[in-house]
């Protein structure tokens, strides 16, 4: 299996190193050969090649079986024009690989209940929400620009969706819902936005093919509130690029930390892009403080979705649970009575649990 690895900026290289340790261990225990190729993207690529996504990086990724990505961005590149910022590299690779469905599972490890932003009684016996975020359309990719209006400078962005873009991500979400509790919540702003009204129409049409799945709709503002009030009403969520960006960060705090949430971005084929949902946290870079679990769980998703190795994926997830059970915590999920460890130690402990 050829894995393209993009460490990126900030804590990216720190957390990617841990995921690679885990994968090396998986390769020994499960007798699968992984071939890693490290590639530049984001700020690291801007510094070296003047662009956030070198052509060669995208080409190698397209010819790989999976792409594992750390995070990109940092203050140093914040004042560059939009198309030359590190984030443009991230959007470019998502679009370039055609990975339109971004799966962001928000799962609360029982050991982290007290680290959740919510009260224990709201969490009940756990949380397991799958957010399916549309990833290659909407306002992230619509026309944008600046112009002079009657009151001076103006800036504009466009939220645009085609029916086929909505249809294919809806289908992914229905398929996932079918394998879970057969409940799907589509989140939009159809009371205001025309693009949301099309979104809702198309989702309803796809629903006809899935009579066994109960579809409901919710406005995004209400969804933001309901996620805090009663998160256990959600099972699978499907939503637009921007709403999914926002709601998945919110969902991460229900699970204890942004440092816990992995993601898998999938398209038509097996090639997937795997990355934690968090950013590059430049203030933590190189300090051995970042939580590598989101990236390690992203590698587990890679084993599951791109390599069809449910056994190995589950082993990695169990290893994470075991290490939390033993009481080891990175600073972001530290709780009284637990043992504080750094990025490297967390990676080592999880690796050691895979056997
Ligand atoms: C994410 C991130 C990115 C996004 C940023 C870094 C461009 O927030 O993956 O959620 O908005 O998609
Ligand atoms: Mg985000």
């Amino acid at each position: 299996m050829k894995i393209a690895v993009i460490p990126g900026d900030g804590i990216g290289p720190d957390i990617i190193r841990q995921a690679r340790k885990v994968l090396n261990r998986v390769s020994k225990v499960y007798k699968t050969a992984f071939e890693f190729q490290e590639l530049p993207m984001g700020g690291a690529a801007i510094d070296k090649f003047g662009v956030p996504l070198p052509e060669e990086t995208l080409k190698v990724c397209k010819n790989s079986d999976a792409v594992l990505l750390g995070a990109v961005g940092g203050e140093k590149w914040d004042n560059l024009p939009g198309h030359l910022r590190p984030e443009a590299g991230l959007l470019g690779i998502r679009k370039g690989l055609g990975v339109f469905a971004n799966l962001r599972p928000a799962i609360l490890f029982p050991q982290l209940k007290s680290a959740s932003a919510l009260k224990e009684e709201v969490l009940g016996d756990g949380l397991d929400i799958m957010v399916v975020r549309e990833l290659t359309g909407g306002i992230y990719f619509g026309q944008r620009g600046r112009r002079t209006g009657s009151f001076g400078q103006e800036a504009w962005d466009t939220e645009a969706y085609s029916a086929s873009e909505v249809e294919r991500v809806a289908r992914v979400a229905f398929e996932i819902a079918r394998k879970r509790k057969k409940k799907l919540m589509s989140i939009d702003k159809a009371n205001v936005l025309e693009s949301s009204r099309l979104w809702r129409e198309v989702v309803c049409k796809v629903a006809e093919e899935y009579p066994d799945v109960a579809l409901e709709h919710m406005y995004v503002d209400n969804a933001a509130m309901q996620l805090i009030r009663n998160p256990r009403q959600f099972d699978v969520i499907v939503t637009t690029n921007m709403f999914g960006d926002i709601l998945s960060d919110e969902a991460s705090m229900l699970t204890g930390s942004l440092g816990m949430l992995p993601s898998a971005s999938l398209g038509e084929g097996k090639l997937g892009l795997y990355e934690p949902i968090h950013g590059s946290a430049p203030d933590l870079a190189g300090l051995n403080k970042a939580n590598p679990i989101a990236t390690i769980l992203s590698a587990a998703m890679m084993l599951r979705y791109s390599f069809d190795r449910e056994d190995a994926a589950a082993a990695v997830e169990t290893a994470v649970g075991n290490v939390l059970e033993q009481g080891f915590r990175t600073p972001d999920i530290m709780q009284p009575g637990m043992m504080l460890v750094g990025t490297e130690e967390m990676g080592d402990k999880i690796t050691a649990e895979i056997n």
Side-chain angles (χ1 to χ4, degrees):
M1 292 297 176
K2 271 197 252 167
I3 305 176
V5 181
I6 302 175
D9 312 314
I11 58 170
D14 308 359
I15 54 182
I16 282 289
R17 206 176 313 121
Q18 312 314 315
R20 284 191 60 167
K21 273 188 214 164
V22 168
L23 286 170
N24 282 332
R25 178 81 189 158
V26 164
S27 121
K28 288 207 188 77
V29 175
Y30 289 86
K31 313 236 175 329
T32 40
F34 299 131
E35 195 188 302
F36 298 100
Q37 185 169 354
E38 287 216 0
L39 300 162
M41 200 186 93
I46 294 170
D47 288 350
K48 241 181 150 174
F49 305 100
V51 288
L53 177 60
E55 267 173 47
E56 178 68 12
T57 293
L58 184 58
K59 197 175 127 205
V60 174
C61 288
K62 281 184 173 164
N63 291 321
S64 302
D65 296 298
V67 181
L68 183 65
L69 191 142
V72 297
E75 215 177 307
K76 180 175 173 195
W77 307 283
D78 275 351
N79 293 320
L80 290 169
H83 68 286
L84 287 177
R85 288 180 59 122
E87 291 82 357
L90 184 56
L91 300 196
I93 197 167
R94 289 170 177 171
K95 191 82 170 176
L97 297 178
V99 288
F100 59 84
N102 182 213
L103 278 42
R104 300 190 156 189
I107 295 171
L108 175 65
F109 282 85
Q111 300 87 353
L112 292 186
K113 245 188 177 181
S114 53
S116 169
L118 294 189
K119 292 196 204 87
E120 297 224 18
E121 58 264 32
V122 180
L123 297 169
D125 57 8
L127 261 194
D128 180 352
I129 301 172
M130 177 66 94
V131 179
V132 180
R133 169 189 178 193
E134 199 290 327
L135 200 63
T136 54
I139 199 163
Y140 274 57
F141 293 92
Q143 299 268 349
R144 58 171 59 90
R146 301 268 181 136
R147 64 191 166 207
T148 308
S150 30
F151 298 102
Q153 202 182 174
E154 290 178 359
W156 53 282
D157 298 271
T158 331
E159 170 87 339
Y161 270 111
S162 69
S164 59
E165 283 175 310
V166 180
E167 193 180 322
R168 61 186 185 179
V169 73
R171 198 158 270 129
V172 170
F174 275 107
E175 289 292 335
I176 292 172
R178 185 168 255 179
K179 293 193 195 109
R180 294 169 50 113
K181 292 186 184 154
K182 304 190 191 303
K183 263 176 66 176
L184 178 62
M185 184 67 80
S186 173
I187 295 172
D188 61 37
K189 189 73 186 173
N191 48 348
V192 178
L193 304 178
E194 198 54 38
S195 55
S196 277
R197 287 191 274 272
L198 176 70
W199 177 278
R200 199 177 272 221
E201 272 166 45
V202 174
V203 172
C204 285
K205 209 168 139 233
V206 177
E208 292 168 12
E209 296 166 39
Y210 297 88
D212 52 321
V213 176
L215 170 68
E216 284 184 78
H217 305 274
M218 201 179 260
Y219 297 137
V220 63
D221 50 346
N222 186 27
M225 184 272 277
Q226 295 291 344
L227 266 174
I228 303 296
R229 194 184 75 89
N230 177 18
R232 288 166 51 77
Q233 69 186 287
F234 298 99
D235 190 56
V236 181
I237 287 174
V238 64
T239 191
T240 63
N241 203 343
M242 185 162 68
F243 295 162
D245 177 44
I246 298 167
L247 293 176
S248 59
D249 267 32
E250 186 185 358
S252 77
M253 278 321 288
L254 311 179
T255 73
S257 164
L258 194 54
M260 293 297 297
L261 247 66
S263 89
S265 306
L266 307 173
E268 302 293 353
K270 278 269 159 213
L271 173 58
L273 169 66
Y274 300 86
E275 50 170 324
I277 80 153
H278 61 69
S280 59
D283 51 322
L284 298 181
L287 297 179
N288 197 31
K289 281 186 177 165
N291 184 349
I293 293 180
T295 313
I296 291 171
L297 292 174
S298 299
M301 293 186 88
M302 175 172 94
L303 295 166
R304 172 171 298 126
Y305 293 107
S306 283
F307 302 163
D308 283 322
R309 291 304 300 256
E310 177 57 39
D311 52 350
V316 172
E317 290 160 354
T318 303
V320 170
N322 289 350
V323 170
L324 294 175
E325 185 62 36
Q326 291 154 14
F328 297 106
R329 301 285 187 274
T330 42
D332 58 317
I333 47 174
M334 185 57 187
Q335 295 272 292
M338 297 293 137
M339 286 163 284
L340 189 65
V341 291
T343 311
E344 289 287 339
E345 295 74 23
M346 184 55 98
D348 290 341
K349 299 225 175 274
I350 294 169
T351 304
E353 282 293 319
I354 298 168
N355 34 50

